[in-house]
């Protein structure tokens, strides 16, 4: 596990990402801060629309108009990512931060052989020969569990099933052994047994190589079983963060508690959340969760709770959690 | 007593010029009044096709479907239309199944207009309001449009529409898959309450193991258009016999990090429904698959009095020894 004294590999500070729409300004990511250390596998969870993908895209420099990063610092290995040009960002891909999107078809080029798509990524960073590229690609495809990788390399994207295409995209993302992988719902929509096969292989590989990952998902089970740490988002904010072994066993924030209680388990009464996620355009005063929360009391509708450190590496934004020190949001 | 019975049902599709897709390959099961039977299996295993065959929304290639003792495959259009009030369906995507230009009240009313032509407008209105109340939406949703309400509310509208004709049987095709966890819980609770109140039978389709375990009395596990295991849900979850069921159950990941995930045993890829392998459809991925598995197709056979499995490695129940 990552060592606490080292600087985070990726550090996000007070990130605000907004979309300027005709209905108003959507505060998709509303002042979040977090870090990921070398070798750390971090899950990012929360309900639909809470800002997970926008967070990932902000870090990757992929927010496009009408979206805009309004504020915040994003540092990777000492580099200020917001100051990079698109070209410099592309340089970082592959060896630094690589990206696995939810839809593999969008990430694969339909008219290039798979072999060529690997080679383009490898050659952007190294002067490997054609044969070396082939060998690296082949080895990587085997590592993600593809049988008969030669045939795949010689073929095209349309010849692949969904599960195979997702593995190929992962293999391309991992082939240069990047220090940080950002994956947005990489197995959502795949069959559960195939999902399990892919996750077993990829997460083991990352762990062995001590690579870091930010895994965006709405599947709490995936995070509980494969990640070290979890970040829980609600309405554009981080409401809880900490080691998986603590957050999923004793959640501090009422929202995390509600999410876990909503998982159907035989013999337990299902607990459901009332109400709806607040509008990201007319952001409510106070805690964004207060009108759905069973524990809300006076300060909750008036004053926004800050993300407080409960113990080392464990944070929660709730007036009821007693923090050891209040972390300033900035 | 059974309300719904599928008997050795087959269905294949062929798109123009394309290969034949063998979507459903000899499926049989039954559902009693008040019972929830779950169909679980991976994408493309034929669940939605069965949902439609069970209501004869598709014509069957072979086999029979019985509803309330009547053979649906022999009924005329008119006879079927009357029965449609008794057997309804809720589709997976709430938004797609609603007409965006039609008010909620009208959407819910539509089945009454089509299937219960004897009702007056006032009676229909009363029934719609009643259905909306039952799904906890209330009369003030009557005039709204689909885009003005949330995904969970849209799914409630779909349920109200399925409920308004006061059916005995509802097919629920992934009714909660497109919903967030917190909203999913509300819908599952609602479905359970409605079942208790009206003694409804459900065919509940899902690929979520946690949901199926929670809601169903019996479970059918599907792989490539066949049922590979069927039995009481608690029994199948406690003692899964088919290697595919075992793999499916072990692929479900607990959100409790103290519960360690089981080792996962299947390899390879799911074969294509256009090119089904001989013998057991799983043998290429199965850790205990051998030549015998590749050679012969194994029918579903009794493992206990209530639990049946389609795997030659699984012993036959004493009373159900094959004749040969
Ligand atoms: N291009 C856009 N224009 C306007 N609003 C946007 C745009 N992209 C995202 N948003 C808004 O930003 C918010 C966060 O969206 P995001 O895609 O990050 O959610 P998410 O947590 O990834 O959800 P999901 O689980 O559905 O993928 C949402 O309210 C969304 O409507
Ligand atoms: N109308 C159709 N025309 C052609 N092929 C079809 C049609 N409907 C289904 N199929 C094919 O039949 C097979 C079974 O599909 P079906 O939709 O029943 O699966 P499913 O188990 O419901 O999958 P999912 O979990 O993805 O909803 C698939 O291979 C599918 O592509
Ligand atoms: Mg997203
Ligand atoms: Mg389906």
């Amino acid at each position: 596990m990552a060592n606490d004294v080292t600087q985070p590999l990726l550090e996000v500070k007070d990130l605000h990402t907004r979309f300027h729409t005709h209905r108003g300004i959507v505060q998709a990511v509303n002042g979040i801060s977090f870090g990921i250390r070398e070798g750390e596998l971090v899950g990012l969870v929360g309900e639909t629309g809470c800002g997970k993908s926008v967070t990932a895209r902000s870090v990757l420099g992929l927010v496009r108009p009408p979206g805009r990063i309004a504020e915040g610092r994003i540092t990777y290995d000492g580099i200020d990512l917001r100051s990079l040009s698109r070209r410099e960002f592309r340089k970082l891909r592959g060896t630094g931060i690589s990206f696995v999107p939810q839809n593999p078809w969008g990430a694969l080029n339909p008219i290039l052989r798979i072999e060529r798509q690997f080679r383009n990524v490898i050659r952007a960073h190294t002067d490997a020969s054609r044969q070396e590229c082939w060998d690296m690609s082949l080895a990587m495809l085997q590592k993600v569990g593809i049988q008969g990788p030669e045939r795949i390399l010689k073929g095209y994207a349309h010849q692949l099933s969904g599960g195979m295409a997702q593995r190929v995209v992962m293999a391309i993302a991992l082939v240069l052994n990047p220090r940080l992988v950002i994956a947005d719902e990489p197995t959502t929509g795949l069959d559960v047994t195939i999902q399990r096969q892919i996750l077993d292989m990829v997460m083991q590989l990352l762990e062995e190589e001590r690579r870091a990952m930010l895994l965006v998902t709405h599947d709490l089970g995936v995070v509980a079983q494969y990640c070290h740490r979890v970040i829980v988002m609600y309405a554009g904010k981080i409401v809880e963060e900490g080691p998986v072994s603590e957050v999923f066993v004793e959640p501090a924030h009422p929202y995390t508690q509600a999410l876990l209680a909503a998982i159907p388990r035989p013999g337990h009464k299902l607990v459901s959340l009332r109400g709806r996620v607040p509008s990201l355009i007319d952001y409510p005063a106070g805690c964004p969760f207060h009108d759905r929360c069973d524990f809300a009391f006076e300060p909750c509708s008036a004053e926004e709770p800050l993300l407080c450190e409960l113990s080392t590496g464990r944070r929660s934004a709730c007036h009821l959690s007693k923090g050891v020190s209040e972390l300033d949001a900035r | 007593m059974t309300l719904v019975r599928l008997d050795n049902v087959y269905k294949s599709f062929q798109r123009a010029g394309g290969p034949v897709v063998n979507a459903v390959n000899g499926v049989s099961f039954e559902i009693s009044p008040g019972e929830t039977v779950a169909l679980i299996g991976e994408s493309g295993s034929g669940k939605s096709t069965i949902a439609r065959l069970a209501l004869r929304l598709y014509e069957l290639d072979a086999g029979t479907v019985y509803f309330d003792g009547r053979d649906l495959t022999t009924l005329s259009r008119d006879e079927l239309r009357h029965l449609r009030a008794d057997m309804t369906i809720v589709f997976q995507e709430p938004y797609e199944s609603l007409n965006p230009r039609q008010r909620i009240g009208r959407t819910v009313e539509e089945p009454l207009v089509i299937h219960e032509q004897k009702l007056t407008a006032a009676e229909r209105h009363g029934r719609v309001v009643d259905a909306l109340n039952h799904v906890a939406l209330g009369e003030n949703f009557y005039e709204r449009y689909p885009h003005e309400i949330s995904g969970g509310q849209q799914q409630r509208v779909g349920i109200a529409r399925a409920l308004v004709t006061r059916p005995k049987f509802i097919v629920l095709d992934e009714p909660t898959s497109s919903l967030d966890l917190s909203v999913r819980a509300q819908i599952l609770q609602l479905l359970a309450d409605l079942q208790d109140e009206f003694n409804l039978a459900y065919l509940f389709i899902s690929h979520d193991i946690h949901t199926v375990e929670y809601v169903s009395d019996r479970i059918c596990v599907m792989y490539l258009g066949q049922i590979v295991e069927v039995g009481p849900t608690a029994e199948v979850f406690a003692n899964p016999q088919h290697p595919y069921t075992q793999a499916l159950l072990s692929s479900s990941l607990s959100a409790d990090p103290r519960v360690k995930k089981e080792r996962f045993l299947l390899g390879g890829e799911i074969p294509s429904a256009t090119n089904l392998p001989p013998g057991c459809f799983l043998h290429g991925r199965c850790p205990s698959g051998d030549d015998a598995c590749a050679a012969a197709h194994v029918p579903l056979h009794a493992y206990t009095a209530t639990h049946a499995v389609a795997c030659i490695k699984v012993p036959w129940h004493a009373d159900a020894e094959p004749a040969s």
Side-chain angles (χ1 to χ4, degrees):
Chain A
M1 256 269 222
N3 181 343
D4 273 326
V5 294
T6 56
Q7 265 298 310
L9 182 62
L10 175 76
E11 191 159 29
V12 172
K13 269 220 139 63
D14 197 29
L15 176 70
H16 291 258
T17 305
R18 299 182 180 139
F19 290 87
H20 297 258
T21 69
H22 63 274
R23 290 176 298 124
I25 298 171
V26 180
Q27 315 257 13
V29 171
N30 202 347
I32 67 169
S33 304
F34 65 93
I36 298 178
R37 293 169 204 285
E38 198 98 53
E40 216 176 21
L41 307 177
V42 179
L44 179 59
V45 302
E47 286 176 273
T48 186
C50 71
K52 305 181 296 294
S53 296
V54 172
T55 299
R57 301 184 76 81
S58 300
V59 171
L60 289 155
L62 294 175
V63 176
R64 299 280 175 261
R68 197 170 80 80
I69 298 182
E71 249 179 86
R73 276 169 56 88
I74 307 171
T75 328
Y76 165 80
D77 197 23
I79 310 167
D80 173 10
L81 292 187
R82 286 190 62 198
S83 70
L84 295 190
S85 67
R86 279 200 201 184
R87 244 190 90 237
E88 290 168 317
F89 235 114
R90 267 203 298 278
K91 265 320 265 181
L92 199 65
R93 293 281 185 80
T95 53
I97 309 180
S98 68
F99 180 42
V100 180
Q102 172 169 354
N103 174 2
W105 308 111
L108 291 171
N109 187 321
I111 58 168
L112 294 183
R113 285 183 202 280
I114 302 296
E115 172 194 3
R116 185 61 195 286
Q117 304 190 43
F118 270 99
R119 203 187 320 138
N120 288 349
V121 170
I122 299 171
R123 290 251 178 102
H125 296 274
T126 70
D127 42 19
S129 71
R130 218 187 154 99
Q131 185 60 44
E132 284 165 340
C133 287
W134 175 269
D135 293 342
M136 286 168 82
S137 315
L138 202 69
M140 198 63 231
L141 284 179
Q142 273 160 345
K143 281 192 193 160
V144 297
I146 284 195
Q147 299 160 337
E150 294 88 353
R151 197 170 37 87
I152 302 293
L153 281 175
K154 286 185 195 142
Y156 293 92
H158 69 87
Q159 293 159 333
L160 304 171
S161 69
M164 300 264 263
Q166 193 54 273
R167 283 179 221 221
V168 169
V169 169
M170 288 212 187
I172 294 176
L174 295 174
V175 69
L176 288 173
N177 212 352
R179 291 168 76 190
L180 173 65
V181 179
I182 296 184
D184 192 354
E185 311 256 11
T187 56
T188 305
L190 293 182
D191 290 326
V192 285
T193 60
I194 299 292
Q195 163 175 330
R196 178 69 200 274
Q197 278 169 236
I198 294 181
L199 282 173
D200 275 0
M201 285 193 211
V202 170
M203 299 309 253
Q204 195 191 341
L205 196 72
L206 292 172
E207 194 127 43
E208 279 168 11
E209 304 272 345
R210 282 197 31 84
R211 300 294 144 178
M213 177 179 239
L214 180 66
L215 177 65
V216 173
T217 178
H218 58 256
D219 190 333
L220 302 180
V222 167
V223 175
Q225 297 297 328
Y226 295 98
C227 293
H228 304 135
R229 225 149 45 79
V230 60
I231 298 171
V232 183
M233 281 186 77
Y234 184 76
K237 308 217 175 206
I238 294 178
V239 295
E240 181 159 9
E241 185 193 339
V244 160
S245 58
E246 296 176 19
V247 174
F248 284 178
V249 175
E250 268 188 83
H253 197 284
Y255 176 64
T256 318
Q257 292 168 5
L259 269 190
L260 289 165
I263 299 173
R265 277 173 304 166
H268 289 253
K269 202 174 148 45
L270 265 186
V271 185
S272 51
L273 267 176
R274 60 195 151 81
R276 295 172 70 168
V277 180
S279 158
L280 300 180
I281 293 177
D282 303 310
Y283 209 83
C287 171
F289 189 59
H290 80 261
D291 61 345
R292 306 177 78 186
C293 181
D294 288 338
F295 308 102
F297 60 125
E298 303 90 74
C300 300
S301 56
E303 192 187 331
E304 189 181 333
L306 294 178
L307 200 55
C308 293
E309 184 144 28
L310 305 179
S311 57
T312 312
R314 183 88 198 275
R315 301 190 294 169
S316 165
C318 175
H319 286 305
L320 285 170
S321 329
K322 288 180 192 62
V324 288
S325 73
E326 292 223 328
L327 282 187
D328 194 27
R330 322 236 125 201
Chain B
M1 193 185 71
T2 54
L3 181 65
V4 181
R5 185 152 79 85
L6 274 72
D7 188 15
N8 208 20
V9 167
Y10 285 80
K11 180 72 182 174
S12 60
F13 297 100
Q14 186 166 25
R15 292 209 179 85
V20 174
V21 179
N22 299 294
V24 175
N25 303 299
V27 162
S28 310
F29 63 89
E30 46 198 52
I31 309 175
S32 302
E35 189 185 31
T36 300
V37 172
L39 270 187
I40 189 164
E42 306 195 49
S43 178
S45 58
K47 303 182 297 295
S48 295
T49 307
I50 290 181
R52 286 167 178 77
L53 292 170
L55 301 181
R56 208 187 138 196
L57 294 171
Y58 283 159
E59 295 302 326
L60 287 69
D61 290 350
T64 318
V65 187
Y66 300 93
F67 180 78
D68 227 356
R70 302 172 74 181
D71 179 349
L72 293 188
T73 60
T74 62
L75 296 187
S76 71
R77 248 168 191 278
D78 243 24
E79 290 170 311
L80 258 179
R81 207 183 58 216
H82 286 296
L83 270 187
R84 294 234 171 273
D86 286 338
M87 45 181 208
T88 60
I89 182 165
V90 176
F91 292 104
Q92 173 167 1
E93 288 295 334
Y95 194 76
E96 277 171 32
S97 55
L98 302 179
N99 181 343
R101 277 186 294 274
Q102 194 164 286
R103 292 181 199 274
I104 299 303
R106 173 71 198 160
T107 295
V108 176
E109 186 183 5
E110 204 166 54
L112 293 177
V113 177
I114 301 170
H115 305 305
E116 299 196 30
Q117 293 164 351
K118 292 188 299 285
L119 294 180
T120 65
E123 283 169 331
R124 285 203 305 270
H125 183 83
R127 292 275 286 269
V128 172
V129 171
D130 190 40
L132 287 174
N133 282 331
H134 266 105
V135 298
L137 285 179
E139 196 171 352
N140 62 337
F141 277 80
Y142 198 96
E143 296 294 334
R144 298 211 204 168
Y145 286 98
H147 67 88
E148 295 173 330
I149 64 178
S150 73
Q153 290 168 337
Q154 288 169 4
Q155 195 57 284
R156 286 168 192 263
V157 173
I159 295 169
R161 185 182 151 99
L163 212 58
V164 74
T165 54
R166 298 181 179 157
K168 298 175 181 162
F169 173 47
I170 304 183
V171 175
L172 301 155
D173 191 358
E174 313 234 19
T176 58
S177 299
S178 61
L179 302 176
D180 262 324
L181 210 51
S182 62
V183 187
R184 193 178 296 181
Q186 302 167 0
I187 299 289
L188 294 179
Q189 192 58 55
L190 168 68
L191 289 170
D193 294 344
L194 293 172
Q195 180 166 49
D196 286 348
E197 186 174 348
F198 300 112
N199 197 33
L200 288 166
Y202 289 149
L203 177 60
F204 192 104
I205 295 176
S206 177
H207 57 253
D208 182 61
I209 292 150
H210 302 296
T211 302
V212 159
E213 184 180 19
Y214 186 80
V215 301
S216 66
D217 303 307
R218 282 192 306 127
I219 179 174
C220 303
V221 181
M222 298 209 47
Y223 189 69
L224 284 170
Q226 292 185 332
I227 293 176
V228 296
E229 184 154 4
V230 54
T233 305
E235 193 175 329
V236 173
F237 271 74
N239 191 17
Q241 287 299 307
H242 198 284
Y244 179 71
T245 314
Q246 292 166 354
L248 196 66
L249 297 187
S250 75
S251 70
S252 110
L253 297 167
S254 170
D256 185 342
R258 293 167 299 189
V259 179
K260 280 296 155 217
K261 56 183 184 284
E262 292 168 51
R263 229 161 72 77
F264 186 73
L265 294 172
L266 289 189
E269 304 287 332
I270 302 170
S272 156
T274 60
N275 189 13
L276 291 171
C280 170
F281 293 165
L282 191 70
H283 79 259
R285 295 178 75 195
C286 180
S288 44
D290 57 22
D291 291 349
C293 302
H297 174 71
V298 193
L300 210 53
H301 61 260
Y303 167 68
T304 71
T306 51
H307 180 173
V309 185
C311 171
I312 44 174
K313 311 271 178 193
V314 174
W316 263 252
H317 181 53
D319 303 335
E321 205 70 49
S324 58

